[in-house]
Amino acid sequence: MFLSLRAQAAEALEEALSALSLPTGDLGLEEPPEDVEAILASSVAFRLAGEAGRAPPAVAADLVEAIDVAGYDYLAGVETQGPYVNFHASDAYYAGTLGDAREETYGRLEPTGREVVVEHTSANPTGPVHVGRARNPIIGDSIARLLEFAGDDVDRHYYVNDAGRQMAVFTWAYETFDEDDLPEPEREKADYDLVRYYREGNRFLEEADESEVEAAESEIQSIMQGLEDGDEAVYERVERVVDTVLGGMRESLSRLPAEFDEFVKETRFIRDGSVDDLVARLKELDEAVYEEDAWQLDLPDFEKNLVFLRSDGTSLYTTRDLAHHEWKFEQYDHAVTVLGEDHKLQAQQLASALDLLGNDTGQLDSVFYSYVNLPEGKMSTRAGTGVDLDDLLDEAVERAREEVEVRMDDRIRDDDLTEGDIERIARQVGIGAVRYDIVSKQPSKAITFEWDRALNFEAQSAPYVQYVHARTCGILDEAERAGHGPETVDSGEVDPDLLDSPEERDLLEVIARFPAVVESAAGDRQPHQVATYTREFAETFNAFYRERQVLTGDEALTEARLALVASARTTIANALWLLGVEAPESM
């Protein structure tokens, strides 16, 4: 509804500008400043003051004089406040919001017809997912949800590094060492089982005598060469290790949740000839040079050359990724890649090389993030290997469970929740707290995850927002027991004029803005905008809940307020879904 109102305001403003012989251009339509009482404001008078030869407040007054809102369903009036042109919403706008927001699909935008691939996580399959990299699947999954909600047809890809030296070392180690010589796995999970071989292999290469290392390196090199030469037996050896570790990693990622439509392997582009074709085309470029026993691209905007082929004829990760990206450009209209900030230079060089090869790099978007840190001493590490994602999620659920049990004791309502309810809420709140705390920050900013903040039921956190959804469910359940069933709440036969208090209008307005938040966050690839919206939403709903009783002696008013609560429930549930955070029905 807000998008429709904005479109009507834009049309009315453009007509007024044309009538005054002023350029349209940027209309400056935005949310009003906090001290401005309006649903939408335009700051266009600032831009036009010089051209009009008048002060911004005078230009705004001229525009208001020229604007006619009579033909627009959702505009009730327009006025100035200093330099701003302020638009007010009609009753039809509020009625439409109440109707739209009770639909389960509320906030979804019209299909764009655009096919998009979002590649995220893509951690090397050398062991369990580490906490420091947890931001990638959380941001990536949220971006994919946003783009899908905004109308794109989205595929989620994990790009698997199965052709590099690390996987050759892993395969050699798995085939070389006996399980009896390894420590017990930290968990009964495939990735924890196999990572022991990888660690033992690296220890051996660092500590063994020179002749043993030379023999090992010869075997490792033969694996890498076998992959490059298309040796099917070598592929199968490496694939056995890669797929087993990936299976364990997928289990961990699914807890977030972060699911994938396809795991695209590097070796695919070696085996189908794409890498050979790419190398041949790269060698023909004017920027291609053979220096220091390797083929390289001398990219003009970078101090360091991009190496794409070793002297022994083996390709590099970046070479295979170039072939991968050309494949993505053939399959999709747009490609989004989520990367750690340490990959920024590599991504820039890759884009430059793709451009030289004649690709439209406007199809490519890279989203960079800083890593997640943990406060010193807050979580234990095992054998100096750091903190795994599984550790973080287990502790999140346990801490959430403790919080739920404390709150049960405080309210003396132990019989309200079963053991199964407690487990469900602990999982929803605990994992939701981790995900929300991470996704709510701008990706470029480094963050330190802190339990007290993430699990604070009273502050701007996942539990604080989740509790709003649970409260809406509780209100509607109570209403149903009082005879106001879904057929009443969802009928649409309510009078929005009855919702005339500041708290009710504020809640309606924040509900109405949800589709615009989806549009903006998807366009900017910034899911933290949705998190910011959910905090504002929670504060606005809580103000309504404190000041306005929903079940009253006035039947018409009760039904209007129940429609408002139902609209709030749908809106916050969909906003939380975009963030990958569950919306509990009770807490």
Side-chain angles (χ1 to χ4, degrees), residues 234-252:
V234 174
Y235 279 126
E236 291 176 2
R237 290 164 59 194
V238 174
E239 186 176 52
R240 182 168 60 248
V241 173
V242 168
D243 288 353
T244 302
V245 176
L246 271 179
M249 296 172 74
R250 290 177 71 177
E251 283 184 47
S252 302

Side-chain angles (χ1 to χ4, degrees), residues 72-351:
Y72 297 100
D73 294 342
Y74 302 134
L75 299 179
V78 60
E79 64 179 9
T80 61
Q81 186 169 344
Y84 290 96
V85 176
N86 301 327
F87 293 90
H88 297 278
S90 67
D91 290 339
Y93 173 78
Y94 293 110
T97 297
L98 275 176
D100 290 352
R102 280 174 282 169
E103 298 291 332
E104 288 186 4
T105 57
Y106 181 60
R108 282 191 180 271
L109 306 184
E110 292 296 317
T112 64
R114 189 173 70 153
E115 295 185 342
V116 178
V117 59
V118 177
E119 178 202 328
H120 67 84
T121 308
S122 301
N124 291 340
T126 54
V129 182
H130 188 272
V131 164
R133 299 278 178 174
R135 208 169 184 181
N136 196 316
I138 290 173
I139 292 173
D141 183 71
S142 295
I143 288 175
R145 289 168 183 251
L146 261 173
L147 293 175
E148 183 177 86
F149 218 71
D152 291 335
D153 184 1
V154 178
D155 279 347
R156 298 153 173 83
H157 284 188
Y158 187 122
Y159 185 50
V160 183
N161 178 0
D162 66 332
R165 173 179 166 80
Q166 285 181 309
M167 296 319 304
V169 170
F170 205 153
T171 303
W172 160 77
Y174 180 69
E175 296 172 347
T176 298
F177 299 103
D178 293 326
E179 183 174 7
D180 293 342
D181 298 329
L182 304 175
E184 288 296 311
E186 295 163 5
R187 288 175 186 260
E188 293 301 318
K189 235 167 125 268
D191 44 345
Y192 289 85
D193 180 24
L194 262 67
V195 73
R196 300 175 298 158
Y197 294 91
Y198 182 65
R199 290 172 182 163
E200 179 62 19
N202 280 292
R203 186 202 62 78
F204 179 90
L205 293 174
E206 290 176 1
E207 299 177 4
D209 63 47
E210 187 175 345
S211 61
E212 290 177 314
V213 170
E214 284 182 4
E217 287 290 356
S218 176
E219 293 184 44
I220 292 166
Q221 181 60 33
S222 72
I223 293 172
M224 293 177 65
Q225 193 64 55
L227 291 174
E228 204 76 31
D229 295 341
D231 188 321
E232 195 64 34
V234 174
Y235 279 126
E236 291 176 2
R237 290 164 59 194
V238 174
E239 186 176 52
R240 182 168 60 248
V241 173
V242 168
D243 288 353
T244 302
V245 176
L246 271 179
M249 296 172 74
R250 290 177 71 177
E251 283 184 47
S252 302
L253 292 167
S254 68
R255 298 177 67 188
L256 283 171
E259 303 289 349
F260 298 89
D261 297 300
E262 188 172 354
F263 285 75
V264 181
K265 294 181 176 178
E266 279 185 286
T267 49
R268 169 181 187 157
F269 304 104
I270 297 174
R271 300 174 76 175
D272 69 6
S274 297
V275 170
D276 287 341
D277 175 69
L278 179 83
V279 166
R281 288 159 54 213
L282 287 171
K283 286 181 177 179
E284 292 175 358
L285 294 174
D286 292 340
E287 292 80 5
V289 295
Y290 188 83
E291 296 177 354
E292 300 177 2
D293 295 327
W295 277 97
Q296 307 177 35
L297 283 183
D298 183 7
L299 301 173
D301 296 329
F302 300 92
E303 292 183 10
K304 189 176 180 181
N305 287 358
L306 178 67
V307 178
F308 64 88
L309 193 69
R310 300 183 184 92
S311 59
D312 61 8
T314 56
S315 59
L316 287 87
Y317 177 89
T318 303
T319 324
R320 301 184 288 271
D321 202 20
L322 284 167
H324 170 220
H325 274 77
E326 289 197 324
W327 171 79
K328 287 198 285 190
F329 292 163
E330 291 174 1
Q331 303 294 319
Y332 298 93
D333 301 310
H334 204 80
V336 179
T337 310
V338 182
L339 297 163
E341 60 187 359
D342 55 334
H343 290 278
K344 186 173 289 187
L345 175 61
Q346 177 186 330
Q348 291 170 341
Q349 287 185 313
L350 181 137

